[in-house]
Amino acid sequence: MSVPTTVSAVRTAAPPGPDGAAGPAPRTGAAAASGRSEASGPALARHIVVIGGGIAGLAAAHRLTGAGLRVTLLESTGRVGGKLRSGEIAGTPVDLGAEALRVPRPEAVDLARAVGLGDRLRVPAATDAALWTRGALRPIPSCRGRDVLGRARTADTYEVSLRAAVPQLFEAARQDGALLTGVRAVRRRTAEQQRRVAEERQAAERRRIAEERRIAEQRRLADRPGTAGQPGLSGRGRSGPLIPRPRSGFTRPGTGADAVCAGPESAGGFPGGTRSAHTIPDLSRGGPDYLGLDGGAGTLAGAVADAVRAAGGEILRNTPALALTRGPYGWEVRTAARSLLCDGLVLATPAWTAATLLAAEAPLAAAELSEVAYASMALVTMAFRRSHLEGLTAFDGRCGFLVPPGDGHTIKASTFLTRKWDWLSERAKDLFLLRTSIGRYGQEEVLYLDDADLVSAALRDLGEATGLTARPVATDVTRWIGGLPHYAVGHPARVTRVRNGLSALPGLRLCGAAYDGVGVADCVASGQRAADEIIAAEAA
């Protein structure tokens, strides 16, 4: 790009005009002609602005600072993390947003390790779930070797998940040949994406094995007489999960219906030793498809933000971007208090925000982005006395249950947090924590009930499903209005059109849940991909 390395990265805005909006600070003389700061000084590093402080934006900022670029991240709210959100109920830390990191797509787990959270990764204590349908909690049926929660399936992943998620699409496809053609095309693209993910996972596995061997060699040297004072080995404790080991109850994927994690009551320990309560599984030998973090997955956002700051990045909260302008020397980002000049931009915002910001510079792409629909939901988190659940077998050995649409219930899922995560069970020994999810796409009117009514609705459904009659000792209602993008038929083609339309604007990349997947790992991968493309463009 053509921005001089001495361009001022931050400019104080002029006094607000009649409409209250801050104007850009004027430049005069040689500075205006050249784009250089009037103040002399050493050349500045290339400056990238990341708009949006969710996990996608944080992942992008982390990657960019790691490449030596100067980064300013703008977050419109008072906290970073997006749908990763830590909270507390009855004095116990708990996730009020996403609470698990998918393993088959390793970017989120790798990021957690990169920012120092590797020793806090935790396997789920229970992964079995039920389906609440026809008046009872029923085992989730296996679909070609893997159930709908994503455990040990061997073939045609996309077909099964699509049938489970949107069966009406297939019904329409049987009536519409063109739609059926589209579905088949999506299948082909998804198969190619799965192939690439598998290759990336294999590469990550090779790196992990190499790291295991390195650590094992360090341990071997530490055990030799006379090595206690060697640099890097002295004082290093022998406890802690330095080398991942398989947890009891896991088998290699594809070996049968029992390829799930046994609950804490049935775990029999490691072969030849005592079972550790907190051990990262050896995923090459089978294991869960997701991991959690001791203290909650929401802590990942704070750790990444700290790493960005430690690398020299700046994070500005309560600072929404108001407008973008592409100029001869790069981009100008307007905020309420000042304008920032930068060489590159990463938009890690919801699609509607990106559409607003791009309306002037890329109206066709903005129009496409404005069509991306979003679903809203609420999480009702509750704490009960464990003694009040005695005798209720519905909670035994399960991490929760799903509720299919059309059954007339308010909740769409419930997660038994205390059963699912050992670290929660240990921190609140006399409490049982669970949460329910409410709100489906196109049926969000229930979310306008007040908190007490949402709690009552959740308790009513829980009582019918599990027999629970106790009242919670604490509750929390977290609303995610416009929380998740809803991918309509043709979404991949829309994303392609948007990206193609933005290709004429150098130094601009999009990332986040609106494009290539809504999971935490998908968002991390999206942010890292955007950063890598910016880095490659800056190096060219």
Side-chain angles (χ1 to χ4, degrees):
M1 297 179 61
S2 60
V3 183
T5 56
T6 53
V7 166
S8 175
V10 179
R11 293 189 296 152
T12 302
D19 59 354
R27 289 185 292 177
T28 60
S34 66
R36 296 177 181 270
S37 170
E38 294 182 11
S40 61
L44 299 176
R46 290 289 190 175
H47 183 212
I48 311 299
V49 171
V50 178
I51 301 177
I55 192 59
L58 289 170
H62 181 261
R63 192 78 132 211
L64 291 163
T65 54
L69 295 172
R70 193 161 60 90
V71 174
T72 301
L73 185 148
L74 306 180
E75 166 55 38
S76 62
T77 70
R79 67 173 190 89
V80 296
K83 305 309 177 295
L84 286 175
R85 181 174 180 178
S86 297
E88 183 179 284
I89 186 168
T92 305
V94 68
D95 282 310
L96 301 178
E99 42 106 26
L101 312 177
R102 290 276 294 170
V103 172
R105 177 143 211 178
E107 289 87 351
V109 173
D110 289 347
L111 180 60
R113 291 185 172 125
V115 297
L117 300 183
D119 60 347
R120 288 171 51 187
L121 288 165
R122 298 289 181 260
V123 296
T127 59
D128 282 340
L131 198 65
W132 184 28
T133 184
R134 302 192 307 279
L137 291 176
R138 306 177 187 276
I140 292 180
S142 175
C143 299
R144 301 191 184 189
R146 183 181 287 268
D147 64 31
V148 296
L149 292 185
R151 295 171 301 194
R153 184 164 59 205
T154 58
D156 210 350
T157 302
Y158 179 78
E159 179 179 356
V160 176
S161 62
L162 187 57
R163 285 184 183 275
V166 282
Q168 68 273 17
L169 176 60
F170 277 80
E171 178 60 32
R174 283 191 284 269
Q175 308 296 328
D176 187 337
L179 182 56
L180 182 57
T181 300
V183 170
R184 288 171 176 165
V186 172
R187 280 188 188 152
R188 288 193 297 271
R189 288 194 297 270
T190 303
E192 174 61 21
Q193 182 183 27
Q194 289 172 340
R195 182 189 64 77
R196 292 196 301 269
V197 169
E199 291 176 351
E200 292 170 359
R201 185 179 182 185
Q202 291 170 0
E205 179 61 21
R206 288 192 293 269
R207 292 193 299 269
R208 186 194 61 77
I209 291 173
E211 180 66 9
E212 279 192 6
R213 290 173 177 169
R214 184 186 68 79
I215 296 174
E217 178 64 14
Q218 285 186 345
R219 284 182 168 174
R220 184 184 67 79
L221 293 175
D223 288 337
R224 291 172 54 188
T227 60
Q230 289 185 6
L233 297 177
S234 61
R236 187 165 188 169
R238 295 298 307 278
S239 62
L242 291 178
I243 301 179
R245 297 184 175 91
R247 183 170 180 168
S248 175
F250 291 109
T251 59
R252 189 180 299 276
T255 55
D258 294 329
V260 297
C261 174
E265 296 84 0
S266 60
F270 290 102
T274 303
R275 171 185 177 273
S276 169
H278 299 306
T279 308
I280 304 173
D282 182 346
L283 300 177
S284 66
R285 303 175 188 174
D289 273 5
Y290 56 89
L291 298 174
L293 283 169
D294 189 339
T299 59
L300 175 61
V304 177
D306 289 343
V308 169
R309 295 187 187 97
E314 183 180 20
I315 297 178
L316 304 178
R317 296 177 297 173
N318 295 310
T319 309
L322 303 180
L324 305 178
T325 304
R326 174 70 186 172
Y329 304 110
W331 289 92
E332 181 176 0
V333 182
R334 292 279 303 277
T335 71
R338 55 182 176 173
S339 293
L340 294 88
L341 301 182
C342 60
D343 302 272
L345 273 175
V346 175
L347 290 186
T349 66
W352 70 79
T353 302
T356 300
L357 292 174
L358 293 171
E361 296 290 342
L364 295 181
E368 291 274 15
L369 288 170
S370 67
E371 294 297 318
V372 177
Y374 278 74
S376 299
M377 61 180 294
L379 295 177
V380 180
T381 307
M382 293 177 275
F384 297 86
R385 297 293 179 193
R386 289 199 195 188
S387 57
H388 294 166
L389 275 69
E390 291 179 359
L392 298 179
T393 59
F395 296 96
D396 294 342
R398 289 193 179 113
C399 67
F401 62 86
L402 304 174
V403 185
D407 277 18
H409 302 298
T410 302
I411 66 174
K412 61 180 182 180
S414 180
T415 303
F416 306 155
L417 298 171
T418 297
R419 288 280 187 264
K420 188 173 183 179
W421 303 115
D422 277 343
W423 66 269
L424 269 174
S425 179
E426 293 165 2
R427 293 195 184 194
K429 295 184 180 298
D430 62 337
L431 295 177
F432 189 96
L433 306 183
L434 62 79
R435 72 182 190 182
T436 61
S437 175
I438 297 175
R440 301 181 190 272
Y441 176 71
Q443 301 176 7
E444 290 95 343
E445 61 276 1
V446 67
L447 302 182
Y448 294 102
L449 297 174
D450 61 29
D451 287 2
D453 288 337
L454 283 177
V455 170
S456 296
L459 286 171
R460 184 170 57 251
D461 281 356
L462 279 171
E464 186 178 343
T466 68
L468 178 67
T469 58
R471 300 294 301 180
V473 298
T475 63
D476 181 275
V477 176
T478 308
R479 288 174 169 82
W480 294 103
I481 304 302
L484 289 175
H486 179 76
Y487 293 174
V489 175
H491 179 77
R494 168 173 284 130
V495 172
T496 298
R497 291 193 298 271
V498 169
R499 286 177 170 150
N500 289 343
L502 297 178
S503 61
L505 297 174
L508 173 66
R509 292 296 184 272
L510 304 175
C511 66
Y515 306 104
D516 304 305
V518 301
V520 176
D522 298 312
C523 292
V524 170
S526 179
Q528 291 175 342
R529 170 186 170 182
D532 289 342
E533 292 175 354
I534 291 282
I535 293 167
E538 290 296 320

